[in-house]
């Protein structure tokens, strides 16, 4: 809503002090005169902000009457002095502007609301200064406009820098508190006292998530600093976590992955495939995650289980995505050990001397038993694939032409891979 100069006109005040010779004059009087009654002008401006600017209508009344009015008076004083001196205030004179921006950043007042108020205030002030201009005041009007634009630029920079710096500080404080609380919960020390100290609530239960973050293409580019690219990837992922989960997710992450604790409740956004896709898009890499829901006091055990499931996803060569216990029940059970599991893992020992048979079995199962596709993948003739499948049956009694044989081969391969993974760890 435009505000014309006419309804904001004020009667000129008699000057009681002698102005410097360089003071800018418009309409036969000092340009600063319409701004010198700061209480009256500030009151009218703040009234306009409250009624005509939608973002400002959301501010508390006491904030408009107090902080905003005080700051408006201060800026009007700066503008009046600027016209008298024909010079824009230096950075030291903008201390109050920066301090107010810092406070509003802490109170989460939108930066756009703050900047729009300053722009509207400067526009109104310029209208007041130029309202009594005469035909021969063109040069003075140009000077006044330039001064106002320079003042607006200085204020915009001061406000933006202070606001963003404070937001970064708040974000670091929140991140530190979140990491402290996450570490405590993962170690089984999630007491209410610790939650109060961190300034964050503790939910009754959590989705405990183990996540794997692969390398970004930039990390493999010799022309790019791999460490810098990895940190940028991590910052993008952390920023997306705050957005997707409304800053409620607790995270302990490195550039390769880590653990997330997401409150489990009706009012908390859940981690589903869509949410994981949003995180992957932000990180610019495909993510793999495993989820276990747990009561708060059971989080350490749930985290161990989630990371064990994540390892099963990796060993099984599964595609990136979100997995839960139901998706990995067979694999998980095979890791529990016992005579049956050990026996299954040895079924394929007869193929140890024939690596090409292992390759054929994996490719055949991976291609949904398609002979032609398997042959192309292995760069052999389809008849060679048939021969190798027969040899596998002869050596292991696993007939890959039957559903039972296919199931047996899949489980045996998985048990073998899991067994060897455990052996390498030992």
């Amino acid at each position: 809503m435009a505000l014309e100069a006419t309804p904001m006109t004020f009667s000129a005040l008699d000057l009681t002090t002698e102005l410097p010779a360089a003071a800018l004059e418009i309409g036969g009087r000092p340009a600063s005169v319409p701004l010198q009654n700061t209480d009256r002008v500030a009151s009218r401006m703040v009234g306009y902000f409250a009624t005509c600017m939608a973002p400002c209508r959301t501010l508390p009344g006491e904030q408009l009457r107090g902080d905003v009015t005080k700051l408006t008076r201060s800026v009007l004083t700066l503008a009046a002095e600027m016209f008298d001196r024909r010079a824009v205030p230096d950075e030291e004179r903008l201390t109050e502007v920066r301090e107010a921006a810092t406070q509003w950043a802490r109170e989460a007042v939108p930066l756009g609301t703050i900047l729009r108020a300053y722009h509207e205030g400067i526009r109104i002030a310029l209208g007041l200064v130029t309202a009594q201009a005469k035909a021969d005041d063109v040069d003075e009007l140009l000077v006044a406009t330039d001064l106002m634009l320079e003042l607006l630029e200085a204020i915009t920079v001061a406000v933006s820098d202070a606001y963003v710096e404070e937001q970064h500080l708040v974000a670091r404080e929140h991140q530190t508190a979140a990491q402290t609380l996450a570490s405590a919960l993962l170690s089984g020390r999630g007491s209410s006292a610790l939650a109060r100290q961190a300034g964050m609530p503790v939910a009754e239960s959590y989705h405990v998530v183990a996540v794997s973050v692969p390398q970004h293409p930039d990390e493999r580019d010799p022309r790019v600093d791999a460490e810098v690219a990895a940190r940028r990837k991590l910052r993008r992922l952390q920023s997306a976590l705050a957005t997707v989960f409304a800053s409620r997710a607790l995270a302990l992450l490195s550039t390769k992955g880590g653990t997330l604790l997401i409150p489990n409740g009706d009012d908390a956004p859940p981690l589903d495939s869509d949410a994981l896709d949003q995180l992957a898009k932000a990180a610019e890499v495909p993510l793999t995650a495993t989820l276990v829901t747990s009561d708060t006091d059971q989080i350490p055990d749930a985290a161990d289980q989630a990371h064990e499931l994540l390892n099963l996803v990796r060993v099984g060569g599964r595609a990136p995505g979100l997995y839960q216990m139901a998706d990995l029940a067979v694999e998980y059970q095979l890791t529990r050990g016992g005579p049956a599991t050990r026996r299954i893992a040895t079924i394929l020992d007869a193929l140890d001397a024939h690596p090409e048979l292992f390759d054929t079995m994996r490719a055949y199962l991976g291609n949904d038993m398609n002979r032609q596709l398997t042959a192309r993948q292995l760069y052999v003739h389809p008849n060679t694939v048939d021969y190798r499948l027969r040899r596998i049956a002869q050596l292991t009694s696993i007939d890959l032409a039957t559903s039972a044989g296919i199931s047996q081969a899949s489980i045996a391969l998985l048990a073998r891979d899991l067994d060897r993974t455990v052996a390498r760890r030992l």
Side-chain angles (χ1 to χ4, degrees):
M1 173 179 176
L3 185 65
E4 301 298 333
T6 302
M8 288 289 293
T9 56
F10 298 90
S11 59
L13 301 179
D14 293 331
L15 296 179
T16 58
T17 58
E18 183 178 354
L19 292 170
L24 183 67
E25 292 190 0
I26 295 177
R29 65 177 182 177
S32 62
V33 169
L35 307 181
Q36 288 180 350
N37 190 344
T38 56
D39 288 341
R40 185 180 179 190
V41 178
S43 178
R44 292 285 296 276
M45 281 187 173
V46 172
Y48 169 74
F49 298 154
T51 57
C52 300
M53 291 180 58
C56 288
R57 289 200 295 267
T58 64
L59 295 177
E62 63 271 13
Q63 193 169 59
L64 282 170
R65 290 189 298 271
D67 297 340
V68 176
T69 300
K70 178 182 176 183
L71 185 62
T72 302
R73 287 198 299 264
S74 177
V75 174
L76 286 171
T77 299
L78 290 177
E81 293 176 359
M82 176 184 71
F83 287 126
D84 288 343
R85 297 173 55 245
R86 292 181 181 249
V88 177
D90 57 25
E91 290 188 6
E92 185 176 349
R93 297 282 285 143
L94 297 176
T95 299
E96 189 173 352
V97 169
R98 287 191 293 271
E99 290 176 348
T102 298
Q103 176 186 338
W104 289 335
R106 281 273 176 182
E107 296 171 354
V109 177
L111 179 58
T113 297
I114 300 169
L115 292 179
R116 185 179 174 193
Y118 275 115
H119 281 65
E120 286 293 297
I122 293 294
R123 183 184 66 81
I124 292 170
L126 182 60
L128 294 173
V129 168
T130 60
Q132 303 300 320
K134 299 178 181 179
D136 57 353
D137 287 331
V138 174
D139 291 341
E140 287 76 8
L141 289 174
L142 291 175
V143 172
T145 301
D146 283 343
L147 288 171
M148 276 299 204
L149 289 175
E150 289 183 40
L151 177 61
L152 180 59
E153 178 186 11
I155 289 175
T156 300
V157 171
V159 168
S160 300
D161 286 349
Y163 190 98
V164 171
E165 182 179 351
E166 186 64 20
Q167 277 205 323
H168 285 167
L169 178 61
V170 170
R172 287 195 295 271
E173 291 175 351
H174 176 83
Q175 184 175 359
T176 299
Q179 290 175 342
T180 300
L181 183 56
S183 298
L185 292 172
L186 287 167
S187 63
R189 297 185 293 107
S191 67
S192 57
L194 181 61
R196 288 194 298 272
Q197 180 181 350
M200 304 181 70
V202 174
E204 294 184 0
S205 65
Y206 283 85
H207 298 305
V208 183
V209 181
V211 60
S212 174
V213 183
Q215 283 189 323
H216 188 277
D218 286 349
E219 295 178 67
R220 299 188 293 270
D221 189 335
R223 299 168 299 178
V224 178
D225 187 318
E227 186 176 345
V228 172
R231 288 200 302 267
R232 290 177 59 193
K233 172 190 68 180
L234 179 58
R235 284 196 295 270
R236 291 194 301 269
L237 177 56
Q238 290 170 332
S239 177
L241 279 169
T243 300
V244 173
F245 298 107
S247 298
R248 298 189 61 187
L250 306 176
L252 287 179
L253 291 174
S254 72
T255 57
K256 296 181 179 179
T259 307
L260 308 178
L261 301 178
I262 302 170
N264 178 28
D266 295 336
D267 59 341
L271 176 64
D272 53 21
S273 296
D274 290 340
L276 188 65
D277 287 344
Q278 292 182 56
L279 299 179
K281 184 177 180 180
E284 299 178 5
V285 291
L287 300 179
T288 303
T290 50
L291 183 153
V292 176
T293 301
S294 166
D295 291 339
T296 300
D297 58 354
Q298 298 298 317
I299 283 179
D301 292 338
D304 289 341
Q305 187 178 83
H307 281 278
E308 186 174 356
L309 293 177
L310 186 61
N311 184 58
L312 295 178
V313 172
R314 182 186 62 79
V315 172
R318 299 240 187 167
L322 179 64
Y323 297 89
Q324 299 188 50
M325 177 61 79
D327 304 308
L328 300 161
V330 174
E331 292 90 334
Y332 186 78
Q333 189 58 40
L334 287 174
T335 63
R336 302 305 91 189
T341 300
R342 289 192 293 272
R343 173 70 183 92
I344 293 172
T346 63
I347 290 177
L348 302 179
D349 285 353
L351 303 182
D352 283 344
H354 308 279
E356 75 282 0
L357 299 184
F358 268 120
D359 293 341
T360 301
M361 178 183 289
R362 291 185 187 278
Y364 185 67
L365 294 173
N367 292 318
D368 290 329
M369 288 64 71
N370 186 312
R371 293 170 54 256
Q372 300 291 336
L373 187 57
T374 300
R376 287 198 296 272
Q377 181 178 330
L378 298 175
Y379 300 102
V380 298
H381 193 277
N383 290 343
T384 301
V385 174
D386 290 338
Y387 167 75
R388 292 180 179 178
L389 295 179
R390 289 195 296 272
R391 284 288 293 154
I392 291 171
Q394 291 170 359
L395 293 172
T396 66
S397 299
I398 295 177
D399 186 356
L400 291 172
T402 66
S403 59
I406 292 168
S407 177
Q408 189 177 15
S410 299
I411 294 175
L413 273 175
L414 178 60
R416 182 185 178 88
D417 290 340
L418 292 173
D419 186 64
R420 295 196 170 190
T421 298
V422 172
R424 282 197 298 271
R425 289 179 177 177
L426 299 176

